[in-house]
Amino acid sequence: MKKIVLMVAVVACVAFASQSAQAVTVQASVENVMQDDFVKIEVKDLPQAVQDAIAKSYEGSTVKEAYVAGADGAKKYKVVLADKDQKEQTVVLNEKGEVVE
């Protein structure tokens, strides 16, 4: 009887562990797909309209990272901002500095 209970417990643990590992893999894949649209650029390469919009709407925040997407059409800029408390916020803007998404 002890062997049966132990066997059921082992099988349950293995099943749970494999599902958890699979969930982590799926989540990582989704994050990679979302990042693939954007290409990292230098902060200094952001258009002036985007820089002005950030300075006006997110006063006191600094740009940590910048990305661009849509090389063949309307460009979108994803910007990672850090406020004075180092809390990060991601914002997507168009070429005119308007927030999108």
Side-chain angles (χ1 to χ4, degrees):
M1 185 68 171
K2 289 181 184 179
K3 289 182 182 180
I4 293 173
V5 172
L6 181 61
M7 182 70 87
V8 170
V10 169
V11 169
C13 288
V14 169
F16 177 74
S18 67
Q19 281 185 338
S20 295
Q22 186 177 12
V24 169
T25 302
V26 170
Q27 183 178 6
S29 297
V30 170
E31 289 176 7
N32 287 340
V33 170
M34 292 175 65
Q35 286 285 43
D36 287 346
D37 291 346
F38 288 90
V39 177
K40 190 168 186 172
I41 60 172
E42 295 291 323
V43 173
K44 63 182 172 76
D45 294 335
L46 285 171
Q48 191 62 45
V50 173
Q51 293 179 23
D52 292 344
I54 291 169
K56 180 180 177 184
S57 299
Y58 303 95
E59 189 175 335
S61 295
T62 57
V63 178
K64 291 184 73 173
E65 297 176 3
Y67 301 86
V68 65
D72 57 343
K75 292 185 180 178
K76 293 192 297 186
Y77 296 90
K78 180 167 68 171
V79 181
V80 179
L81 303 171
D83 65 10
K84 61 183 176 184
D85 298 326
Q86 296 304 313
K87 287 180 65 177
E88 290 187 4
Q89 176 181 10
T90 302
V91 181
V92 179
L93 302 107
N94 62 17
E95 292 176 293
K96 298 176 186 175
E98 299 166 336
V99 176
V100 295
E101 296 179 4

